[in-house]
Amino acid sequence: MSTLFLALRNLFRNKRRTMLTLTAITTGIMALVLFDGFVRYTLWGLQESTIRNGLGHLQLSTAEEYFTTGNFDPFSYLFTDPDEITKKLKVLPEVKEVVPQVTFSATLAGADKSGIVMVQAVPAELSRSLLSFRNIIDGRDFTAADRYRVILAKGVAEKIGARVGDTLTMMAVTRNGGLNAADMEVAGIASLGLRELDNIQVYLDLPTAMDFLDITSVPLLITVLEKTEYTGEVQKTITQRLKPKLGQPLVVKTWEELADYYRQVQEFYRSLLQIVRLIIMLVVIFTIVNTMTMAVLERTREIGTLRAIGTQKTGIMELFLAEGLWIGFFGGIFGVLMGLAGSSFINTALGGIYIPPPPGMAEGYQAFFVPAFATVWQNLLLAVTISVLASIYPALKGVKLKIAEALRYI
Amino acid sequence: MVLVALQDVYKDYIMAKTRVPVLKGIGLQLAAGEMVCLMGPSGSGKTTILNIIGGIDFADKGRVSVYNQDLEVMSDKRLSGFRNKTLGFIFQYFNLIPVLTAFENIEYPLVLQGIEKKERRRRVEAMLEAVGLPAVKNHRPDELSGGQRQRVAIGRALVTRPKLVIADEPTGNLDHKTGRAIMELMKEMNEKNRTTFIFATHDPMVSAYTSRILHLLDGAIVKEEKP
Ligand SMILES: Nc1ncnc2c1ncn2[C@@H]1O[C@H](COP(=O)(O)OP(=O)(O)OP(=O)(O)O)[C@@H](O)[C@H]1O
Ligand SMILES: [Mg+2]
């Protein structure tokens, strides 16, 4: 007959009140589990579309500055021997593809309108593994034989009024500082999902770009991994094992370091989650403090009796903390179970929930709820912790009772 | 042997901002094995005296010694341990723990002492036998009659084999016949184990079982008689 046992019995004493407290915790934890599942899915979707839209998992260049100003001056950052690095990377089992790339800004002119665009050029045969989220909505994708053809993001096509089959003129500064111009045929129009990219991106095959810019090397190697989780690990391998043995400078960036938009969204959701968590915690704490203070008051004479027959102050403290522990435990378990049940109901029975386009996104999406195992545990722990913490105040009220007075209480 | 000694004990309570003297120079002694009774009108200070002896209230002035201990200077831990091991309490309203069965209520003080389960079981079973309740040992207090509840309370008070049992109006909520049976039980415990009892009561039937009656009036002992 331990304190935990006695506390458990006390829980079933005022069933209505216990139910009230349990409902508060259960609802709160359920909401947190659901919200966490939603945020995780959304961030995961954003992460994958960011990576698969040309960012890759790891980007390698020759200098730090490439990543800030390189698009306007790719010539200062060309690798001396990109093939050496590519070969060494491809030995790693986590590496799926290494894509050489050059990105440059150019002016693209149609029949009567023109615009500044960002040209991303990769070998046509590798473009699918790098740009797997790119959705060709009109025309066709590149074939390996395509030269002097472009794929336009749909915002760009709208801006300069171009359609599939049109011939456009591309103008850009080349390696020796001169201006070059060439005609390009529109092979296809693509939707990229991110509004930021949809308004500026143009794709070209790498041989054409190198010819056009008069270069024989590239400033950037994009590494696509088998799985996104490998990113950190492979980055470490590259900087610790590969880089020191290399005869040329090398800088590695992860997709996360490069994806400003993703980081902003992640930050936004994290703060939102914190706020929701705080509100739920306050509600739960308030409920527990309230109901348990009532319980302490109701049980005044019983507390006096327990003390009279030899229970220490710490014993009274433990008793009420244990009641808080049980309430938190049950509320947490129910909350987590209901959160998981709710998630799977939404995912299977409803087929997800449609979310209209978030700021910066081109399209809405079907959100699924995928709570992480770790956060499920965290939420359970959270329920128990705040429940025990909330019990401290009422418990102290019980501890502070004067025995003689408590015994006179009817 | 003197078990309890009160000497010139004073106690005031503050009620509605005025100081009300409740005990005005109480002196009393209890010898081991005695059965003593405090009698007096309501508000005369009986419960207050019992509380001071029981270490759950303290005198403002005067000397209090219980089993050669100065309760006032003890830490909560020691004082709780002292109440648990040396004293037994019986109340007018039984004050059983409602979520515990008769067995568990009697067992509770032994749990506090850290006695192991088998020994506890043995002693609780014996005590249930002694108070005549083996049949209802798994019943909770709300399933027991008043007399049965007070028997459980007596079991809880005596299971630790205390030196002194403090009983505040133990028959106050029982009918005459049940009250008498309860007193018989306590008398039997007193004779068998030489456990000391001090009662507070209005009930002449209770005082008839005791060896000494202290009459209280307005916080002072005005008369002592031996029936
Ligand atoms: N905590 C307290 N605060 C204020 N006054 C108190 C307190 N405890 C007791 N009193 C007062 O002290 C006086 C003596 O009370 P006590 O309970 O000792 O009397 P009693 O003889 O046991 O009475 P009863 O027969 O009604 O039980 C009463 O007037 C009571 O109101
Ligand atoms: Mg009284």
Side-chain angles (χ1 to χ4, degrees), chain B:
Chain B
M1 193 188 110
V2 177
L3 200 62
V4 176
L6 267 60
Q7 211 174 59
D8 221 14
V9 164
Y10 285 83
K11 174 91 186 164
D12 296 348
Y13 279 117
I14 310 284
M15 240 158 62
K17 288 192 182 159
T18 48
R19 193 171 270 278
V20 183
V22 172
L23 299 184
K24 306 177 204 166
I26 297 289
L28 67 83
Q29 291 199 340
L30 294 185
E34 261 194 302
M35 254 184 141
V36 177
C37 172
L38 297 172
M39 277 190 100
S42 192
S44 57
K46 304 183 293 294
T47 298
T48 307
I49 292 176
L50 294 189
N51 286 348
I52 289 173
I53 294 172
I56 55 182
D57 203 348
F58 300 97
D60 295 337
K61 225 172 82 188
R63 289 174 50 129
V64 178
S65 132
V66 181
Y67 201 52
N68 281 327
Q69 303 278 333
D70 184 354
L71 305 184
E72 214 158 330
V73 298
M74 282 190 192
S75 67
D76 177 65
K77 185 177 165 168
R78 275 196 58 207
L79 185 55
S80 300
F82 178 80
R83 283 197 298 265
N84 178 227
K85 296 194 181 87
T86 315
L87 305 180
F89 287 88
I90 295 166
F91 307 92
Q92 177 178 354
Y93 297 100
F94 325 127
N95 290 14
L96 299 177
I97 307 306
V99 295
L100 300 181
T101 63
F103 184 99
E104 290 162 347
N105 263 288
I106 296 175
E107 187 187 18
Y108 186 84
L110 300 178
V111 175
L112 287 179
Q113 288 188 9
I115 290 170
E116 59 118 10
K117 195 168 174 142
K118 240 171 70 190
E119 171 68 3
R120 283 199 320 250
R121 173 171 297 276
R122 197 184 61 72
R123 281 167 68 171
V124 175
E125 298 282 5
M127 189 48 74
L128 280 163
E129 200 72 50
V131 297
L133 290 177
V136 294
K137 66 176 183 177
N138 292 323
H139 288 38
R140 294 214 184 167
D142 59 2
E143 300 163 331
L144 300 175
S145 70
Q148 287 173 321
R149 288 185 209 184
Q150 201 60 306
R151 282 168 189 272
V152 175
I154 291 169
R156 179 177 69 181
L158 292 174
V159 75
T160 58
R161 299 178 195 131
K163 294 273 178 295
L164 171 66
V165 172
I166 295 169
D168 196 350
E169 308 200 32
T171 60
N173 263 321
L174 302 173
D175 61 66
H176 188 77
K177 190 162 157 259
T178 315
R180 189 174 283 281
I182 291 293
M183 286 314 295
E184 288 287 347
L185 178 62
M186 287 196 271
K187 183 82 198 159
E188 188 191 322
M189 297 293 177
N190 166 256
E191 280 163 2
K192 212 159 77 187
N193 309 320
R194 276 183 50 82
T195 310
T196 313
F197 280 81
I198 182 163
F199 298 94
T201 190
H202 296 280
D203 186 351
M205 184 274 289
V206 171
S207 55
Y209 279 89
T210 59
S211 49
R212 207 144 56 93
I213 305 170
L214 304 172
H215 287 278
L216 230 64
L217 193 64
D218 288 339
I221 295 173
V222 290
K223 197 169 90 180
E224 179 173 337
E225 69 179 309
K226 298 195 178 183

Side-chain angles (χ1 to χ4, degrees), chain A residues 48-54 57 130-133 224-225 228:
Chain A
E48 291 305 305
S49 70
T50 305
I51 292 167
R52 316 273 171 202
N53 257 325
H57 290 104
L130 182 63
L131 302 166
S132 49
F133 265 43
V224 179
L225 304 176
T228 306

Side-chain angles (χ1 to χ4, degrees), chain A residues 296-307 401 403 405-410, chain B residues 91-97:
Chain A
V296 168
L297 190 73
E298 253 172 37
R299 274 147 62 184
T300 296
R301 199 150 58 92
E302 185 177 322
I303 293 168
T305 307
L306 288 171
R307 297 275 289 122
L401 287 174
I403 306 172
E405 282 172 30
L407 283 170
R408 283 176 198 272
Y409 186 92
I410 307 290
Chain B
F91 307 92
Q92 177 178 354
Y93 297 100
F94 325 127
N95 290 14
L96 299 177
I97 307 306

